Amino acid sequence: MGLTDILLNLLFSFVATAGFCILFNIPKRHIAFCGLLGIISWLVYILLRSPVGEVLATFFATVTIVLLSRVFSIVRKCPVNVLLVPGMIPLAPGSAIYYTAYYFVTNDMTSAAEYGFLTLKLAFAIVLGIIVVIAVPTKPIKKLVEKNAEKKK
Amino acid sequence: MEKTELKRIVDVTARAGSMLLRSGAEIMRVENTIGHMMRSFGVPKYDIFTITNGIFLSASDGEEEDSNSYTRICEVPRNSSDLGKVDMINTLSRDIEEGKCTLEGAEARLDEIEKAKGNYNGIISLLAASVASGAFSFLFGGTATDALLAAAVGFSYYYLFILLNKTKLSKLLTNAICGFILALLTVGLVKLIPDVNMDKVIIGAIMPLIPGVSFVNAVRDIAAGDYISGAIRMIDAIVIAAGIAVGVGVTLLLFTRIGVI
């Protein structure tokens, strides 16, 4: 992947996430930050996709985004979902759902099953990623954020 | 505590809770918000039970035999994702907790939040859906032409989606119709314009329909141990995804049988 490719990927993941923020009616003051989260999740995903495969890449990208949205929801004083949902959008298995439906109607059942299971695997990767990070209690995260805030002062 | 005051507190908290639930907050947040508000307004004893489409709430001002108590059950119909409202009610709940907002103030602000039209008007949402479709088409490996076509398709069918959402049509049908139309538009464009990857255009264009809020909330509810609500939301997400797949699938099936694609 060349430099222009990476830059274009960054730009478009930002634009796509920001577009979703508008669809979810997220206030303007959060949009740029959500776009940044979208860039991060997409970057983690495409960088890990070739070495570890798309399912694990989705898992690690999810873990990154849930962690970041939990930390920054405390910093920015907003609900976790406002940051988490847009940040997760680039990881949605839209193409896997499409290919499942496509091979299903074109009667290529082997490929349909393959993509169907891929959809399930991707969904499970997201589920596990969210559950692992949500299980961390809020107190240590809050303490960490407050400590950093004090240091800055 | 006066009986009327208790009633007002329960009504306000119930309203805040059901607005949160309807706009796409997870169960834990709804229950915590109601609890915080109750405590800040000085209700000593309360119980909350929340599932995806209802809130059961009771409060009393003491343990004595003659203490007042009040119970409410709120039905929370059909949810629509509006994370802006979740954010506003979150701010309101913080203000109440810090003592910056009285009961009257909370009532007024809830009225305001309920009436709020949304941060963006129709045209902006259409453009957002269109831009997001185009961008995703590119991210999933489409060419510049694919991205432009996805943006055009996203713009036109999302208008239909907004219209259908105002009717009482079921989610399955709404998404199936949108999927059908968007695939139809794409097939038409693919026939008119050479060198277009049909799959990349459709994948980009279906993204605005993806049930992101339902899915994330389903997982968060299950992670928090609210299994019933998590299951309801997960089914909601699956129904929407199935609707999209059925809609797109029917169009593809029709045209492959005729032999156009």
Side-chain angles (χ1 to χ4, degrees), chain B residues 92-132:
Chain B
L92 173 65
S93 151
R94 271 171 197 275
D95 286 353
I96 291 172
E97 223 176 327
E98 288 165 11
K100 283 191 219 155
C101 188
T102 57
L103 188 56
E104 287 78 24
E107 279 169 346
R109 270 176 70 179
L110 279 177
D111 282 335
E112 235 171 77
I113 295 172
E114 199 158 24
K115 274 191 210 126
K117 270 250 162 83
N119 300 318
Y120 312 98
N121 59 25
I123 297 286
I124 304 271
S125 331
L126 276 182
L127 283 176
S130 149
V131 166

Side-chain angles (χ1 to χ4, degrees), chain B residues 28-230:
Chain B
M28 189 85 109
R29 171 168 300 278
V30 176
E31 291 187 344
N32 285 346
T33 305
I34 294 177
H36 283 314
M37 288 169 93
M38 287 278 197
R39 255 174 284 144
S40 308
F41 286 136
V43 178
K45 216 173 161 283
Y46 56 85
D47 281 292
I48 314 158
F49 173 64
T50 313
I51 55 168
T52 306
N53 46 13
I55 298 175
F56 307 74
L57 191 58
S58 82
S60 65
D61 58 0
E63 302 275 2
E64 299 84 32
E65 239 173 64
D66 60 342
S67 57
N68 296 315
S69 66
Y70 184 60
T71 302
R72 268 202 70 166
I73 298 174
C74 301
E75 193 213 357
V76 182
R78 194 192 164 102
N79 51 340
S80 58
S81 326
D82 186 341
L83 295 175
K85 277 190 181 158
V86 178
D87 190 40
M88 277 149 102
I89 295 173
N90 183 55
T91 318
L92 173 65
S93 151
R94 271 171 197 275
D95 286 353
I96 291 172
E97 223 176 327
E98 288 165 11
K100 283 191 219 155
C101 188
T102 57
L103 188 56
E104 287 78 24
E107 279 169 346
R109 270 176 70 179
L110 279 177
D111 282 335
E112 235 171 77
I113 295 172
E114 199 158 24
K115 274 191 210 126
K117 270 250 162 83
N119 300 318
Y120 312 98
N121 59 25
I123 297 286
I124 304 271
S125 331
L126 276 182
L127 283 176
S130 149
V131 166
S133 303
F136 272 119
S137 173
F138 175 82
L139 290 180
F140 288 126
T143 59
T145 334
D146 299 341
L148 281 176
L149 288 183
V153 172
F155 187 85
S156 20
Y157 89 83
Y158 205 76
Y159 182 66
L160 179 75
F161 181 68
I162 293 175
L163 286 184
L164 285 177
N165 261 337
K166 286 182 185 151
T167 62
K168 287 210 167 121
L169 222 55
S170 74
K171 277 187 186 171
L172 180 68
L173 211 54
T174 306
N175 286 284
I177 292 172
C178 287
F180 179 78
I181 299 289
L182 84 88
L184 202 64
L185 287 173
T186 311
V187 172
L189 287 171
V190 168
K191 285 284 115 185
L192 283 175
I193 301 161
D195 296 332
V196 175
N197 304 313
M198 187 183 68
D199 48 347
K200 306 294 182 205
V201 179
I202 295 185
I203 291 168
I206 56 176
M207 286 304 278
L209 296 176
I210 293 280
V213 178
S214 296
F215 185 74
V216 168
N217 276 331
V219 178
R220 294 198 62 186
D221 287 345
I222 290 171
D226 293 311
Y227 297 124
I228 295 182
S229 302

